[in-house]
Amino acid sequence: MQPLALYLQQLRDVSGLPFYPWLFDFLLVLTFTLHILAVNLVLGGTLVLLWGRLFGGPYGLRLSRALSRALPITLSWVIVLGVAPLLFIQVLYDPFWYFSNVISAWWALAFLALIALSFSLLYLYYLRGGYEGAGNPLWPLVALLSLLFVAVIIHALSLQALHPEKWPEWAVKGGTEYQSGGKLFALSLPRLLHFLFASLAATGVFLLFYARYFRPRADYDPDYLSWAARTGARLALIFSLLQAAVGIWWLLSLPAEFRFYTHPLFLLGAGFGLLFILYLLSVRQDPEPHTGRIGALFAATVFFMSYAREALRMKYLSRAGYSFASYPVHPSWSSTALFLLTFLMGLVILSYVGLVAYRAGRGQKEVGAHGWGRLSVFLSWLWILVMVIIGLVLSFKNGALP
């Protein structure tokens, strides 16, 4: 075994994994897909908000007002949805993520501060007149710059984790150990642009759903909603084409031995992306009736591209002799069952909350689904009771309580 591979093996958790790694990998991709969709909407939505506020005319200003209300909520979801993929990365790839954050520690801390700053500015813009179309556009502009800075930082940290073969030269400079944590060591412009262009494509798809969602409400101008749908379709089409172009650039920049263009997951993602673009082209004159199919194709594209991204990570790390498939597994059936049941319970509860919000936003004062609501409350109390019982049992068993 090569020295680097042996070193990486020693950095793994000695207790191994509590369940088979394929499940954690699938959940990593699934939760990352949800996270990146929300990220794209915040980044692209902030840019559209600024455009609408400054140059969009009456319709653009109205859209800017709507986005000023949606973006702080969406950014809070970005933060919440980012926890799960980060935890799964720490389960499967902790040595890589840990080193990357330590070698650029100040940037990792700045990432957290900039997220907090962006949220605060977007929320203040909404509170101080953004929803009336009179907020100071400087605040969302600074928030946008902060978000772009966040994108560069997280891009560099992710890329540094893919190159353990370069860690010695990054960690030691002139025979002295590098400890300041003040540098970023990796950047791939096509990879970064590929993710940035996706934000406006995702925002375009969101505008299609926005128009469809508010269509039944009498207080919304039908011409405005049609304009929003057409604008969204144009955004999605133009920036999907740009994303495809830089995606090819990124593909050509990958190590030749990967032959990644032949990978089944990449071909699946690219195939759905092509179908998405062709479908948008065919319905661009009247896209709103096709919103559901457009959204399904877009979601499939993002999911399989996220899986292709995971496959690419495996390609990079395999050069260092690392594979999570060789991680020691010591199944813990009780903790795994508790995790999965908690996950399912969360889906039931959040789906009910989502249904209430969806119907209320359409002006339905009586949202219905009372049985579902009672079940959600019961499951919440049941979960609290189970957690308390487990905590007490373990405390008595381990002697923490007399």
Side-chain angles (χ1 to χ4, degrees):
M1 182 179 293
Q2 56 177 301
L4 180 57
L6 183 61
Y7 170 72
L8 293 171
Q9 298 279 7
Q10 296 303 312
L11 290 177
R12 297 187 307 191
D13 190 337
V14 295
S15 62
L17 297 179
F19 201 73
Y20 302 101
W22 59 264
L23 175 64
F24 298 118
D25 193 50
F26 171 76
L27 292 174
L28 166 59
V29 173
L30 178 62
T31 54
F32 175 80
T33 301
L34 298 174
H35 171 66
I36 201 64
L37 285 171
V39 167
N40 285 338
L41 177 54
V42 169
L43 189 57
T46 304
L47 186 57
V48 172
L49 180 153
L50 275 169
W51 168 81
R53 172 70 175 82
L54 298 173
F55 313 109
Y59 285 168
L61 183 60
R62 184 168 183 177
L63 178 60
S64 175
R65 291 167 52 197
L67 287 171
S68 75
R69 188 173 188 175
L71 290 177
I73 299 170
T74 308
L75 185 50
S76 66
W77 274 105
V78 167
I79 297 167
V80 172
L81 291 171
V83 172
L86 178 59
L87 291 177
F88 292 125
I89 283 176
Q90 289 177 323
V91 169
L92 297 174
Y93 303 111
D94 188 53
F96 307 94
W97 187 242
Y98 178 81
F99 177 88
S100 182
N101 278 262
V102 168
I103 199 74
S104 301
W106 283 110
W107 291 99
L109 293 173
F111 159 79
L112 298 174
L114 288 168
I115 286 287
L117 175 65
S118 301
F119 177 84
S120 300
L121 290 172
L122 288 173
Y123 193 46
L124 282 172
Y125 175 75
Y126 164 69
L127 290 177
R128 296 295 183 89
Y131 192 56
E132 286 78 31
N136 188 344
L138 180 62
W139 292 357
L141 175 61
V142 176
L144 176 63
L145 295 175
S146 297
L147 290 169
L148 289 172
F149 209 172
V150 165
V152 172
I153 293 172
I154 201 68
H155 160 78
L157 294 177
S158 300
L159 202 56
Q160 288 169 190
L162 298 181
H163 293 282
E165 74 281 359
K166 295 182 180 180
W167 290 356
E169 63 183 83
W170 292 342
V172 178
K173 299 292 182 182
T176 303
E177 184 180 355
Y178 176 76
Q179 295 182 338
S180 74
K183 293 182 180 179
L184 294 174
F185 295 90
L187 180 70
S188 170
L189 184 59
R191 186 180 189 270
L192 178 61
L193 290 176
H194 184 71
F195 283 96
L196 292 180
F197 285 147
S199 66
L200 284 161
T203 303
V205 175
F206 168 79
L207 292 183
L208 283 165
F209 280 96
Y210 168 79
R212 181 176 176 177
Y213 177 72
F214 287 111
R215 180 67 67 180
R217 287 186 51 162
D219 55 337
Y220 274 75
D221 179 3
D223 291 336
Y224 162 69
L225 294 176
S226 297
W227 171 86
R230 291 194 302 272
T231 301
R234 284 196 298 271
L235 271 178
L237 179 58
I238 292 170
F239 283 94
S240 292
L241 289 170
L242 289 172
Q243 187 188 18
V246 297
I248 293 172
W249 179 17
W250 180 19
L251 186 66
L252 294 174
S253 71
L254 297 178
E257 68 267 22
F258 287 179
R259 295 175 57 85
F260 198 66
Y261 54 86
T262 65
H263 197 285
L265 287 170
F266 166 75
L267 294 175
L268 267 174
F272 275 107
L274 180 60
L275 286 175
F276 172 71
I277 290 172
L278 292 175
Y279 194 72
L280 273 176
L281 279 169
S282 68
V283 303
R284 65 186 183 279
Q285 300 301 329
D286 187 22
E288 193 178 341
H290 307 272
T291 297
R293 286 183 286 274
I294 291 171
L297 285 171
F298 184 73
T301 301
V302 175
F303 176 75
F304 284 110
M305 280 298 183
S306 297
Y307 238 133
R309 174 179 177 271
E310 178 64 11
L312 183 60
R313 189 204 320 262
M314 296 178 189
K315 288 279 189 183
Y316 272 108
L317 300 186
S318 66
R319 299 196 300 184
Y322 186 90
S323 171
F324 68 68
S326 63
Y327 218 121
V329 177
H330 305 294
S332 174
W333 299 105
S334 57
S335 62
T336 302
L338 182 63
F339 165 75
L340 292 175
L341 289 172
T342 300
F343 182 76
L344 292 174
M345 180 203 71
L347 288 179
V348 172
I349 295 172
L350 290 176
S351 297
Y352 173 71
V353 173
L355 176 66
V356 171
Y358 179 84
R359 291 179 173 176
R362 280 193 162 183
Q364 294 178 242
K365 295 181 180 179
E366 174 55 57
V367 298
H370 301 299
W372 192 352
R374 286 191 290 270
L375 175 63
S376 298
V377 173
F378 171 76
L379 289 175
S380 298
W381 280 110
L382 179 63
W383 186 85
I384 292 171
L385 179 63
V386 169
M387 290 298 107
V388 170
I389 291 173
I390 291 175
L392 290 173
V393 168
L394 291 177
S395 297
F396 280 113
K397 182 179 179 181
N398 297 326
L401 295 174

